[in-house]
Amino acid sequence: MARDLRVLVIGAGMAGILSVIRCRQIGLPDVTVYEKADRLGGTWRENRYPGVACDVPSHLYSYSFAPNPEWTHRFSPGPEIQEYLEAVAAEYDVDRDVRYGEEVTDLRWDGRRWHLRTASGIVDEGDVVIAATGVLHHPSYPDIDGLGDFAGTTMHTARWDESLPLAGRRVGIIGTGSSAIQTVPTIVDEVAHLSLFQRTAQWVMPAENPAYTEEEKAAFRADPGLLHTLHAEISELFSNGFSDAVVDADSEGMRRIEEACRANLEGNVHDPDLRERLRPDYRAGCKRLVVSPNFYDGIQRPNAELVTEPIDRIEAEGVRTAAGHLHELDVLVLATGFRVDRFLRPIQVVGTDGLTLDDAWARRPSAYLSISTPGFPNLFMLNGPNGPVGNFSLIEVAEVQFDYIAQLLEPLRAGEATWVCAGEAATDAFEEERTIQADNTVWATGCNSWYLDDRGVPMAWPWNFQEYRDRLAAPDPTAYVRG
Ligand code: N01
């Protein structure tokens, strides 16, 4: 007998908003989202550092059902993305299904349903859980002696204090990932002095970021077909130029990316000593590729300094390097990235026969096609472990994943099963195939990055995006167990 399913969603970021809208569209209106913050937006709510933007073109980083003629730039700034998410959520009245300020602490499977508890003591139950908790969510704080001793202001890029004035102050930034590379050129002209503490140099992919003209936006508004075509064109360019390249370290596309990065360094960094200190000793794209039109410009400003001597410790006045030099600072920015192995944790998740997610993932997180982990029926992840992460539109990824999950739910809705879960054998076989394939990617060519797991294997989808679409077009019933 057909039955209605109650869906619990964790997180009201991009993927949580998507879940509510798509659940309703497929006839599952009984949805509640639990969001620990008091506002939706996820990564775009949290990352408010100066210069924050998405390095995936905005017309690609948009929901397929909500194209946006108003994007101001090819790569629009973070606050504009937050506004977009809020506007889409408002249009679909997502808020009516969101419980804000409720941090989920426990999820327990009783053999038929999931039981949820929040920090404030709310309990709820549902047939299905969709974890939309994000990948880059838990800030990673560096293990540097004396970090707590700094007398000025310390903040992580993902915990930026927008009320803190920077004008005329001495600012230090630790890290050279995408967050730091965007922050440097944005603040350098405002601050008195900027010290960038680089442990590892980065290749920087140049990318122009033109604004859309009023005429272009008017044309997009007038003819939605134009936006559709633009989306298809950018998607094609992105696949050919990027996602097909990074999964094949020897590809022509990879060579082109490397050449572009090298030419950027050679052509735009003028002082030979600085140029050499900014030159990485690994292949471009090995670390998650950093895209910037103006980082080199920023770091060459007279009040900017690249510090390549290792950090010894933090003191009340600033950062002391190994050679004993003290860099005096008023503000210390930790652009030190995220703990990427967390996913829904620290939520205590207990699945079949008392199995906890911490135990299941004791070695490392894994999931069949990044969606479902054996022992955790009816728990599905959007942007879960080992999925396509690098320089892709995670909105597109989440849409593909949601449509796949919707198909997994069909037997449940038809009353043919109470639960469905990836099987052990299929998950192990997939993991083995994925691990072998990951060796062909540029991420495995000899550098340290957040893409690598404890074994040094890239924690990412190692085939191209089309392969992901193809494999997620329809679930393979033999890969799943049902009850
Ligand atoms: O973090 P990261 P991020 N001492 O992990 C350094 C997405 N994102 O926030 O390379 C000294 O890349 C560390 O050094 P090393 C995107 O997916 C996207 O910048 O390990 N340094 C590294 O330089 C991105 O990849 C966008 O030697 C220390 C840096 O900190 C992901 O978020 C914008 C250290 C961390 O770099 C994360 O980017 C922003 C220590 N103890 C973010 N510990 C766009 O779309 C760490 N580091 C543009």
Side-chain angles (χ1 to χ4, degrees):
M1 202 175 62
R3 67 185 178 118
D4 296 327
L5 300 178
R6 171 153 172 71
V7 182
L8 306 175
V9 176
I10 313 194
M14 168 280 285
I17 296 168
L18 169 77
S19 301
V20 175
I21 296 170
R22 295 287 293 122
C23 274
R24 289 186 199 150
Q25 286 173 344
I26 63 168
L28 292 175
D30 190 4
V31 181
T32 301
V33 184
Y34 287 88
E35 166 57 57
K36 67 181 170 189
D38 56 6
R39 213 176 144 202
L40 54 76
T43 213
W44 304 106
R45 178 196 64 227
E46 292 189 358
N47 284 275
R48 311 293 292 183
Y49 61 83
V52 61
C54 185
D55 58 14
V56 172
S58 299
H59 284 286
L60 207 54
Y61 195 83
S62 304
Y63 296 110
S64 60
F65 51 83
N68 179 19
E70 312 303 333
W71 288 123
T72 59
H73 288 78
R74 181 179 294 162
F75 303 102
S76 300
E80 198 179 322
I81 301 172
Q82 173 71 18
E83 274 172 37
Y84 168 74
L85 293 177
E86 285 174 355
V88 173
E91 187 186 336
Y92 286 85
D93 192 15
V94 167
D95 259 358
R96 74 167 195 256
D97 287 330
V98 184
R99 300 201 64 165
Y100 289 105
E102 292 294 348
E103 179 174 3
V104 177
T105 54
D106 295 89
L107 282 171
R108 190 175 49 79
W109 173 249
D110 72 0
R112 290 185 63 79
R113 299 195 101 196
W114 281 102
H115 296 259
L116 171 154
R117 177 181 291 275
T118 70
S120 75
I122 285 184
V123 290
D124 196 352
E125 55 183 276
D127 303 291
V128 172
V129 171
I130 296 181
T133 43
V135 191
L136 300 161
H137 177 57
H138 299 283
S140 171
Y141 290 90
D143 183 15
I144 302 175
D145 276 354
L147 189 58
D149 297 343
F150 183 55
T153 304
T154 307
M155 58 189 171
H156 191 280
T157 44
R159 296 286 179 272
W160 196 272
D161 176 359
E162 289 170 278
S163 67
L164 185 79
L166 295 178
R169 307 184 80 184
R170 299 162 301 176
V171 177
I173 302 180
I174 300 179
T176 50
S178 300
S179 303
I181 297 299
Q182 291 181 332
T183 307
V184 167
T186 313
I187 65 171
V188 67
D189 289 336
E190 186 187 352
V191 303
H193 190 266
L194 190 150
S195 313
L196 178 65
F197 297 92
Q198 169 186 286
R199 184 165 69 180
T200 312
Q202 283 277 8
W203 288 110
V204 181
M205 179 82 178
E208 291 309 310
N209 188 16
Y212 288 105
T213 63
E214 283 312 316
E215 291 72 36
E216 283 170 314
K217 288 191 268 178
F220 293 150
R221 257 174 246 134
D223 179 3
L226 280 180
L227 278 181
H228 198 74
T229 312
L230 182 66
H231 182 279
E233 281 170 8
I234 302 176
S235 191
E236 177 74 15
L237 268 177
F238 219 60
S239 293
N240 290 343
F242 190 76
S243 71
D244 290 1
V246 286
V247 293
D248 179 358
D250 299 324
S251 62
E252 185 49 39
M254 225 28 261
R255 263 189 294 280
R256 275 199 297 270
I257 290 172
E258 289 181 287
E259 265 165 37
C261 291
R262 194 168 297 115
N264 191 22
L265 177 69
E266 304 295 351
N268 294 317
V269 182
H270 310 300
D271 172 52
D273 173 59
L274 180 65
R275 194 186 309 136
E276 290 321 303
R277 292 194 298 132
L278 285 168
R279 187 187 302 277
D281 59 2
Y282 56 86
R283 289 185 59 181
C286 182
K287 278 176 181 287
R288 199 266 195 192
L289 200 61
V290 162
V291 181
S292 172
N294 56 358
F295 166 69
Y296 287 147
D297 188 26
I299 196 66
Q300 291 176 96
R301 289 284 213 270
N303 62 333
E305 178 187 10
L306 181 76
V307 182
T308 48
E309 242 174 58
I311 296 172
D312 179 44
R313 60 182 184 276
I314 313 283
E315 299 178 0
E317 295 80 25
V319 173
R320 174 101 45 197
T321 54
H325 183 213
L326 177 68
H327 296 261
E328 291 185 35
L329 302 171
D330 303 306
V331 177
L332 179 61
V333 175
L334 307 175
T336 44
F338 299 87
R339 296 190 62 188
V340 292
D341 62 342
R342 303 280 84 199
F343 296 98
L344 354 51
R345 297 178 290 177
I347 300 172
Q348 281 296 311
V349 188
V350 184
T352 308
D353 299 328
L355 176 70
T356 67
L357 197 61
D358 275 335
D359 283 341
W361 286 354
R363 275 188 294 175
R364 65 195 72 92
S366 68
Y368 178 65
L369 296 177
S370 83
I371 301 274
S372 169
T373 295
F376 299 89
N378 293 4
L379 170 65
F380 306 109
M381 289 170 279
L382 294 176
N383 290 307
N386 308 320
V389 281
N391 301 80
F392 291 111
S393 165
L394 291 192
I395 297 192
E396 279 201 300
V397 173
E399 288 197 13
V400 170
Q401 292 172 333
F402 186 93
D403 290 348
Y404 179 87
I405 294 166
Q407 294 180 66
L408 286 175
L409 296 182
E410 280 168 13
L412 277 60
R413 302 177 68 188
E416 294 161 15
T418 308
W419 56 262
V420 60
C421 186
E424 298 261 8
T427 305
D428 291 349
F430 167 70
E431 246 324 90
E432 195 183 336
E433 186 195 6
R434 193 192 67 78
T435 303
I436 293 168
Q437 183 70 19
D439 210 32
N440 298 337
T441 67
V442 72
W443 310 312
T445 55
C447 67
N448 194 11
S449 81
W450 67 260
Y451 279 178
L452 303 181
D453 68 16
D454 56 303
R455 304 164 295 179
V457 173
M459 302 183 283
W461 180 255
W463 298 275
N464 66 18
F465 194 51
Q466 189 53 45
E467 178 77 15
Y468 196 67
R469 283 185 197 286
D470 291 346
R471 291 219 200 178
L472 271 77
D476 168 2
T478 65
Y480 285 88
V481 283
R482 289 198 211 168

